[in-house]
Amino acid sequence: MSSSDLLLSRRDLAFLLHDWLDVARLTERPRYAEHTRETVDEVLDLAARVAAERFAPHNRAADTGEPTFDGQRVRTIPQVKAALEAFAETGLLAATMDESVGGLQLPHTVAAAAFAWFQAANVGTSAYPMLTLGNANLLLAHGSAEQIDTWVRPMVEGRFFGTMCLSEPQAGSSLTDLTTRAEPQDDGTYRIVGTKMWISGGDHELAENIVHLVLARIPGAPPGVKGLSLFIVPKVLLGDDGTLGPRNDVVLVGLNHKLGYRGTTNTLLNFGEGVHRPYGRAGAVGYLVGQPHQGLAVMFHMMNEARIGIGAGATALGYTAYLKSVAYARQRPQGRPVADKDPTTPQVPIVAHPDVRRMLLAQKSYVEGALALVLYCGRLLDEQKTAPAEADRERAHLLLDLLTPITKSWPAQWCLAANDLAIQVHGGYGYTRDYDVEQHWRDNRLNAIHEGTHGIQALDLLGRKVTMRDGAALELLLETIRGTVTRAWKAEGFASELAGQLGAAVDRIAVVTRRLWAPGDPELALANASVYLEAVGHVVIAWMWLEQALVVEALGSPDGAEGEFLAGKRQAARYFYRWELPKVGPQFDLLEGLDRTTLDMRESWF
């Protein structure tokens, strides 16, 4: 077994990408014409190798030797910079970008699968390129040609890294209350003044420069989120020839030390306090992206990409811990079968015990279901950008918009549950730092708050996404799932055993959603939105499992390792339908009853 075999399953990725999503068909489209199934597999092999050789070995070292700040410089262990340089050499920083900016024009589905290797190997180090990719993609979509040449090309080359600067200490997730201001200058630039909190990758010496994307208010802007504009604010300003110039007035106040992701610097930044005085005066120099007062709409380009990226990272952390707990369970002898009363007989590996198999099977159902959802969203992005028919592009856009909060939150909750079970499978050792699984749990615990809490995603799903365009997105999702159910009925066999249960759950979503909004009381409808997110998320993952079951049926029952792999898929699907999907019934009952328990709870009663 190679070290990459404990990060992700190469066979599962092939099953999802080739047997199910058929990504090779994408290469028939002009944008991806330079690629074939062979190049797809080569990219995955490259990602697996670099992740195993350059990212995984320092995962623990970066956790125990987290970044430090002495008031002047941030120091990280040297392996982090070396790994990021190796990543840049792969070209994957520009995996999906246009050839005109040095990109590979790979399908997004493939790029997501490739990057998952790095997230599984070392989520702390992989956070730097993830943020940089999102930053660069935003500028490619909304920046000027000059901004792309100036800032995106160095990011593609791995010389500059990027961040997103939204939160402020007094505002938290409430972007309405942001106070950072942007004063216009005669030369067309702006001077940015304010404080940003929880900025991942906000300061370090891992790259020549850091390109901050900062939300701020121009004087006279409308109140609330409609008055936010977006600015490029680099750590180091550039000369006319693109070379590094003076330090911008961006100052690191301190590092936040989190439960997990300890290899990623997390910062409190002051903009414009006057420690540095670019061109002789205080104020951080910023460059407007897009139009004034449209900053949040533009920033959502990066935020939505980051949300799916967080879901992918949560999945990867759950997946690698699952594989490690399977390996441990096969190697660790302990106890004997219940029917064996002879204490002189050899102990058996703990995988022989039914409760251990239950814990492993639960993990498998969570992580393989989540990975399917992440890659399905990648395929939707490919359809949105390259489908020949406009109707197909619009359909993919609408479906992806609805699935984004689920794809962020469901893996962050349930792949964390998989991490919890991986610790338990390891027994007492799982709670020590002798094994990786405790770190995977700590790292994954942060994903419940990264890019918006479960509650924020739930409000987005129920309060915005299912109601937009008179419910068109929700209707499309239900129609799409029903299409899978119909195919499963026609296929008969194993898949048809699951179809009726999923069909009934889909019908409940429609009924419950109408019931929640029928009284016309948004506060009542949204009071239990997190329960709605969890229940709908479970139905979506059940759909992912039915899609996989259909592929398993089509592949038949071969002998050997392939047969074992497909049998494992069947059993994981059965587990999810028998143990997990039934949980949504009581949740839908609660929602349909318009329960007011939490809404009516008074602050003084706590």
Side-chain angles (χ1 to χ4, degrees):
M1 177 182 291
S2 69
S3 56
S4 64
D5 291 334
L6 292 177
L7 300 178
L8 293 176
S9 165
R10 187 68 175 79
R11 177 62 190 98
D12 193 22
L13 282 174
F15 173 84
L16 295 171
L17 292 174
H18 297 310
D19 298 329
W20 176 39
L21 296 173
D22 194 14
V23 295
R25 288 188 61 189
L26 289 170
T27 64
E28 299 170 6
R29 298 178 181 176
R31 179 170 182 80
Y32 308 130
E34 295 299 315
H35 298 288
T36 63
R37 175 168 178 158
E38 288 69 30
T39 62
V40 167
D41 289 338
E42 288 169 1
V43 166
L44 294 178
D45 290 341
L46 173 65
R49 178 176 58 79
V50 176
E53 294 177 359
R54 307 305 294 270
F55 278 63
H58 73 273
N59 189 46
R60 174 64 74 183
D63 181 70
T64 57
E66 59 187 309
T68 60
F69 177 49
D70 61 8
Q72 298 295 324
R73 297 178 56 194
V74 173
R75 289 179 170 81
T76 56
I77 62 170
Q79 298 96 311
V80 175
K81 184 177 177 66
L84 293 172
E85 290 172 348
F87 183 87
E89 290 173 4
T90 67
L92 292 175
L93 269 167
T96 63
M97 296 178 192
D98 293 349
E99 290 179 354
S100 61
V101 293
L104 302 179
Q105 293 189 191
L106 274 169
H108 291 272
T109 321
V110 177
F115 196 68
W117 286 104
F118 298 96
Q119 293 173 304
N122 190 322
V123 77
T125 296
S126 69
Y128 296 104
M130 188 188 88
L131 289 162
T132 302
L133 286 166
N135 185 307
N137 284 329
L138 181 150
L139 291 176
L140 285 170
H142 300 282
S144 66
E146 181 183 2
Q147 288 172 341
I148 291 170
D149 283 341
T150 303
W151 307 109
V152 174
R153 291 184 186 279
M155 285 194 274
V156 167
E157 296 166 2
R159 296 191 294 111
F160 292 5
F161 285 173
T163 75
M164 55 193 300
C165 300
L166 288 76
S167 298
E168 296 176 8
Q170 82 291 343
S173 300
S174 179
L175 301 184
T176 293
D177 300 309
L178 298 184
T179 60
T180 297
R181 66 184 190 273
E183 299 283 349
Q185 306 298 301
D186 293 340
D187 62 358
T189 65
Y190 291 77
R191 289 285 175 148
I192 312 299
V193 179
T195 299
K196 295 292 181 177
M197 181 63 154
W198 309 118
I199 309 307
S200 294
D203 203 343
H204 51 72
E205 295 188 351
L206 301 170
E208 296 175 18
N209 205 353
I210 301 173
V211 182
H212 301 292
L213 289 178
V214 181
L215 284 178
R217 297 184 188 280
I218 298 171
V225 296
K226 294 181 179 179
L228 296 174
S229 299
L230 184 64
F231 301 88
I232 297 168
V233 186
K235 177 180 177 179
V236 181
L237 296 169
L238 304 182
D240 293 337
D241 59 356
T243 57
L244 297 179
R247 271 292 304 267
N248 206 355
D249 195 7
V250 184
V251 177
L252 174 64
V253 179
L255 297 176
N256 301 305
H257 297 282
K258 291 187 172 183
L259 175 76
Y261 276 73
R262 291 181 175 177
T264 308
T265 59
N266 188 272
T267 63
L268 173 63
L269 299 176
N270 276 352
F271 293 83
E273 71 173 45
V275 171
H276 303 286
R277 302 178 66 83
Y279 310 126
R281 51 170 297 202
V285 177
Y287 309 94
L288 180 68
V289 179
Q291 297 300 311
H293 319 317
Q294 298 298 312
L296 187 57
V298 173
M299 182 58 92
F300 264 113
H301 189 288
M302 184 174 181
M303 290 166 66
N304 284 332
E305 182 175 332
R307 285 173 176 174
I308 292 175
I310 292 300
T315 299
L317 286 166
Y319 211 124
T320 186
Y322 158 64
L323 294 175
K324 289 169 183 175
S325 64
V326 169
Y328 182 85
R330 286 171 171 164
Q331 298 164 3
R332 167 68 174 174
Q334 186 173 314
R336 295 163 186 82
V338 172
D340 187 351
K341 306 298 184 182
D342 184 356
T344 65
T345 58
Q347 295 189 88
V348 296
I350 61 173
V351 73
H353 300 305
D355 195 56
V356 173
R357 291 202 295 274
R358 173 192 64 82
M359 291 189 284
L360 295 173
L361 192 50
Q363 291 179 68
K364 182 178 176 70
S365 78
Y366 300 155
V367 303
E368 293 184 11
L371 184 59
L373 177 59
V374 167
L375 296 182
Y376 181 77
C377 286
R379 182 59 193 261
L380 287 177
L381 190 53
D382 285 319
E383 292 299 315
Q384 176 185 314
K385 294 194 172 184
T386 67
E390 182 179 352
D392 290 335
R393 295 195 297 273
E394 175 58 25
R395 179 183 180 278
H397 171 75
L398 200 58
L399 200 52
L400 181 61
D401 214 14
L402 180 67
L403 288 174
T404 293
I406 298 172
T407 307
K408 186 275 173 187
S409 255
W410 197 95
Q413 179 176 359
W414 292 97
C415 292
L416 177 67
N419 290 130
D420 188 83
L421 291 169
I423 290 173
Q424 194 70 12
V425 168
H426 280 73
Y429 292 110
Y431 296 83
T432 72
R433 294 195 175 188
D434 296 329
Y435 289 83
D436 292 342
V437 289
E438 66 85 28
Q439 182 185 341
H440 296 323
W441 185 93
R442 286 188 290 103
D443 286 336
N444 217 351
R445 184 62 185 83
L446 270 65
N447 288 322
I449 197 168
H450 281 158
E451 299 308 317
T453 63
H454 292 319
I456 289 172
Q457 305 303 324
L459 292 173
D460 183 42
L461 176 65
L462 181 56
R464 297 186 184 93
K465 300 302 174 60
V466 305
T467 60
M468 65 183 180
R469 292 172 51 174
D470 295 323
L474 180 63
E475 186 55 41
L476 175 59
L477 174 65
L478 302 186
E479 171 195 314
T480 305
I481 298 176
R482 286 180 179 129
T484 304
V485 170
T486 299
R487 287 190 289 119
W489 279 121
K490 293 178 180 178
E492 300 180 345
F494 161 63
S496 66
E497 298 173 16
L498 313 177
Q501 192 178 348
L502 181 57
V506 169
D507 292 341
R508 284 300 304 275
I509 292 177
V511 170
V512 168
T513 306
R514 285 195 296 270
R515 174 63 173 151
L516 285 167
W517 287 109
D521 183 350
E523 191 173 31
L524 176 61
L526 298 173
N528 301 310
S530 291
V531 178
Y532 183 88
L533 171 66
E534 186 175 326
V536 174
H538 254 52
V539 175
V540 166
I541 297 298
W543 169 40
M544 294 292 97
W545 273 113
L546 187 57
E547 284 280 340
Q548 292 183 75
L550 282 166
V551 178
V552 169
E553 287 294 284
L555 293 175
S557 300
D559 296 328
E562 182 66 7
E564 297 289 324
F565 171 81
L566 296 177
K569 284 286 184 186
R570 288 190 185 91
Q571 205 68 357
R574 287 193 183 99
Y575 176 90
F576 198 86
Y577 273 74
R578 294 178 183 177
W579 289 66
E580 293 295 332
L581 188 56
K583 294 176 181 177
V584 306
Q587 291 176 316
F588 284 139
D589 291 342
L590 176 72
L591 292 164
E592 196 170 359
L594 300 177
D595 184 76
R596 297 184 59 90
T597 304
T598 57
L599 191 60
D600 292 343
M601 181 65 179
R602 298 179 185 175
E603 180 184 347
S604 62
W605 295 350
F606 286 107

